[in-house]
Amino acid sequence: MSDEFENDGLDEELEIITMVDDETEEEIEFVVIDRKQMNGTEYILVVESKNVDDDEAEAAILKVVSETDDDITYSIIEDDDEFNAAAALFESDDYDVEY
């Protein structure tokens, strides 16, 4: 992994989530970089695990839409205002957020 993610002061391993593309049924692994809450909704900043070593990798912001004991369902943010507000949550000295 890149130094940017390894040396951020965390001793824990990065969380991996697997999502399934509804159209192709392809499984895609993501590394969770950060989590934030806004108005009772949890948002996560993720990078595809195959790109985590790339300092220029593009990240995505997903929101939790449902959660059970066994499963968490994430969704992309389709509303521009909600996306901009969520993206602002992730502005950090540790990584650049462009939106």
Side-chain angles (χ1 to χ4, degrees):
M1 286 183 220
S2 73
D3 291 341
E4 180 176 277
F5 299 122
E6 283 184 26
N7 296 326
D8 62 0
L10 297 176
D11 292 331
E12 61 199 58
E13 290 186 31
L14 294 174
E15 179 183 357
I16 304 287
I17 63 170
T18 302
M19 296 189 63
V20 178
D21 184 311
D22 289 337
E23 293 177 11
T24 66
E25 297 187 16
E26 175 187 7
E27 288 188 357
I28 305 168
E29 278 192 353
F30 290 92
V31 174
V32 178
I33 304 302
D34 204 352
R35 294 178 172 276
K36 302 287 182 180
Q37 292 260 342
M38 179 177 67
N39 300 328
T41 301
E42 182 175 9
Y43 297 89
I44 60 173
L45 181 68
V46 297
V47 173
E48 276 192 67
S49 60
K50 68 181 182 182
N51 297 329
V52 75
D53 289 331
D54 183 355
D55 289 340
E56 299 297 320
E58 290 195 18
I61 299 173
L62 305 173
K63 69 178 180 178
V64 175
V65 292
S66 71
E67 190 170 355
T68 66
D69 290 339
D70 299 327
D71 197 37
I72 300 174
T73 302
Y74 300 97
S75 172
I76 60 170
I77 303 168
E78 295 187 20
D79 178 79
D80 289 341
D81 292 335
E82 181 183 11
F83 177 81
N84 289 335
L89 292 173
F90 291 103
E91 290 183 359
S92 169
D93 291 336
D94 295 330
Y95 42 78
D96 294 326
V97 176
E98 296 178 20
Y99 52 98

